[in-house]
Amino acid sequence: MTTVRSPKFELSQYKSVSNEELSTRIEAVRSQLGDQLLILGHHYQQDEVIQHADLRGDSYQLSKLAAESENCRWIVFCGVHFMAETADILANRPERDRGGDRVQVVLPDMAAGCSMADMAAIEQVENAWADLGDVLDTEDITPVTYINSAASLKAFCGRHGGIVCTSSNAAAVLEWAFARTSRVLFFPDQHLGRNTALKMGVTNEQMPVWDPCADELGGNSESQLLDSRVVLWKGHCSVHQMFQADHVADFRERFPGIRILVHPECPQEVNDLADISGSTGKIIRAVREAPAGTKWAIGTELHLVNRLQKEHPEQEIHFLSPIVCMCATMYRIDLAHLCWALENLAADALVNQIEVDDETAKWSVIALERMLAVTG
Ligand code: 13P
Ligand code: SF4
């Protein structure tokens, strides 16, 4: 195991190096470390970074890849913090006994967080659970956390009979939850929860929003909670929140026949008007499988839409919003950080390791494995 944690090389040395040289040096470390190194990249990463990933995917695919990683000693995660935490939990789950050797997970920039994940803190969720217990039987509520959340929230779900979901399996996960209990507490993304449950016949009246900052009962009356089927956490993605129903109407007017393709983190008004809604993986598949000449307006993070435009010149691809919607935290992973992390790793200096403590990992893996079992 690589244990040295203080960097041998300082990040500042990398800032003025050209992208071309950084790319060459990154590839040199990849060749040197071979199969021991696995670089995973989320679809929202910049082109210049994701080209160095061994494997890329949406959040679900990336968790499966980490869970199935066989020979590697290190996973370097080009994505955000909750993804690296999930990789650490799944790559090191108890049944994968590696004789005491952990797979060590590295996030090239520790500031690559997720503003949505930050909208639900474990203390807030525990308080909400206790408050819900004043009105409802919590034995009859399944807590469901979107994978975009801290490991402590996944552990909360593991401890309370709950489960994790991603944007690609939220419907299957909610079905699993409703087979078990009559209610769900869904956090932190209200839009994914609402958009998924609406398609299953749950009404907006049955989905009160829980505001963790409200004085009492998350800002709801007792009768609203008694009538609820899904209690939605008041959280959202600041990137997908920017897409609006007006943008859809505008494209439909200007480009008759255009297909609207959005991520389920977009608000309900946008999802309702879209032709297709799905994870980044589903968005990519939809474009790949479409015939030449198809016109799309796509509502998801800018770097992915720009890449699809470049990869599919035979189609006409537009960005759904007139303003730039990019994930500033995903963007923090740049070539300088990646090269810095990798060259330190190759010099036995493990920097920016993401390591979930044993107690949190023990409970979160239960909620994550439930998701993997439901999704298959
Ligand atoms: P997916 O790639 O799972 O669709 O998630 C999108 C996202 O917001 C990641 O943070
Ligand atoms: Fe979080 Fe939204 Fe960025 Fe995804 S796109 S990492 S949900 S802030």
Side-chain angles (χ1 to χ4, degrees):
M1 249 201 306
T2 309
T3 48
V4 186
R5 274 142 220 277
S6 50
K8 283 223 172 108
F9 310 113
E10 293 304 326
L11 181 59
S12 54
Q13 298 168 10
Y14 292 75
K15 297 281 178 180
S16 54
V17 181
S18 72
N19 279 355
E20 204 183 355
E21 185 184 332
L22 289 168
S23 281
T24 307
R25 286 164 57 175
I26 288 167
E27 285 307 307
V29 177
R30 285 183 72 201
S31 314
Q32 185 191 334
L33 299 182
D35 284 355
Q36 298 180 99
L37 170 69
L38 176 64
I39 303 185
L40 295 179
H42 185 267
H43 293 309
Y44 291 160
Q45 291 290 298
Q46 311 166 51
D47 285 353
E48 60 209 36
V49 169
I50 206 161
Q51 63 166 332
H52 297 292
D54 295 294
L55 299 165
R56 48 178 95 173
D58 64 20
S59 306
Y60 179 72
Q61 293 161 335
L62 292 169
S63 4
K64 280 225 12 150
L65 290 168
E68 289 162 4
S69 58
E70 279 300 333
N71 303 320
C72 69
R73 291 174 63 192
W74 305 287
I75 294 177
V76 172
F77 214 113
C78 298
V80 288
H81 193 273
F82 73 81
M83 296 178 177
E85 274 191 337
T86 305
D88 179 60
I89 296 163
L90 287 171
N92 293 300
R93 65 196 192 286
E95 63 266 35
R96 315 205 72 206
D97 184 10
R98 296 173 189 263
D101 263 1
R102 284 181 74 83
V103 174
Q104 295 173 315
V105 178
V106 168
L107 182 65
D109 185 348
M110 285 301 204
C114 165
S115 55
M116 176 205 285
D118 293 342
M119 289 179 194
I122 184 61
E123 300 75 25
Q124 293 175 316
V125 171
E126 275 168 352
N127 288 341
W129 193 250
D131 290 352
L132 282 169
D134 291 340
V135 182
L136 304 170
D137 173 11
T138 49
E139 290 292 308
D140 194 29
I141 307 176
T142 300
V144 177
T145 188
Y146 189 22
I147 199 163
N148 299 33
S149 57
S152 53
L153 273 69
K154 296 179 177 86
F156 176 90
C157 289
R159 272 198 300 273
H160 293 278
I163 187 166
V164 177
C165 77
T166 71
S167 56
S168 68
N169 59 23
V173 165
L174 280 191
E175 266 166 36
W176 177 89
F178 282 132
R180 191 184 158 273
T181 57
S182 40
R183 292 188 176 83
V184 162
L185 170 62
F186 191 100
F187 42 83
D189 185 18
Q190 60 172 299
H191 299 305
L192 176 65
R194 182 181 295 109
N195 290 324
T196 310
L198 281 168
K199 287 191 183 140
M200 297 169 67
V202 182
T203 64
N204 266 321
E205 292 66 41
Q206 295 170 315
M207 290 193 273
V209 175
W210 187 277
D211 178 355
C213 300
D215 285 341
E216 270 183 59
L217 295 180
N220 299 288
S221 65
E222 284 195 19
S223 70
Q224 278 175 305
L225 295 176
L226 287 165
D227 290 342
S228 70
R229 291 201 64 212
V230 181
V231 177
L232 297 168
W233 195 262
K234 194 175 176 201
H236 62 266
C237 165
S238 38
V239 179
H240 291 91
Q241 179 94 339
M242 314 270 267
F243 297 104
Q244 294 166 15
D246 284 356
H247 304 154
V248 178
D250 181 51
F251 270 105
R252 290 228 191 269
E253 195 184 313
R254 289 193 293 134
F255 299 89
I258 197 161
R259 313 262 295 144
I260 308 292
L261 179 51
V262 302
H263 196 277
E265 287 175 12
C266 294
Q268 184 198 336
E269 309 76 64
V270 174
N271 261 262
D272 284 352
L273 294 170
D275 297 294
I276 305 175
S277 162
S279 71
T280 53
K282 183 169 172 180
I283 289 172
I284 292 167
R285 279 194 303 281
V287 174
R288 269 192 200 143
E289 287 163 12
T294 306
K295 290 185 190 145
W296 298 103
I298 305 184
T300 194
E301 207 273 345
L302 183 66
H303 289 91
L304 173 56
V305 181
N306 284 344
R307 185 173 315 124
L308 286 168
Q309 275 169 346
K310 270 189 241 155
E311 289 176 353
H312 293 279
E314 81 290 358
Q315 300 185 39
E316 188 178 325
I317 297 175
H318 301 267
F319 189 60
L320 180 58
S321 168
I323 43 172
V324 171
C325 308
M326 60 162 264
C327 180
T329 47
M330 285 274 181
Y331 191 64
R332 293 197 73 102
I333 309 293
D334 56 15
L335 289 180
H337 283 87
L338 181 57
C339 190
W340 169 74
L342 288 174
E343 289 192 341
N344 273 296
L345 195 59
D348 274 344
L350 185 70
V351 292
N352 285 9
Q353 185 183 9
I354 301 293
E355 192 173 9
V356 177
D357 69 84
D358 289 349
E359 183 64 13
T360 307
K362 178 179 103 185
W363 290 107
S364 5
V365 82
I366 294 173
L368 281 162
E369 286 193 331
R370 285 183 186 132
M371 171 188 82
L372 295 173
V374 165
T375 318

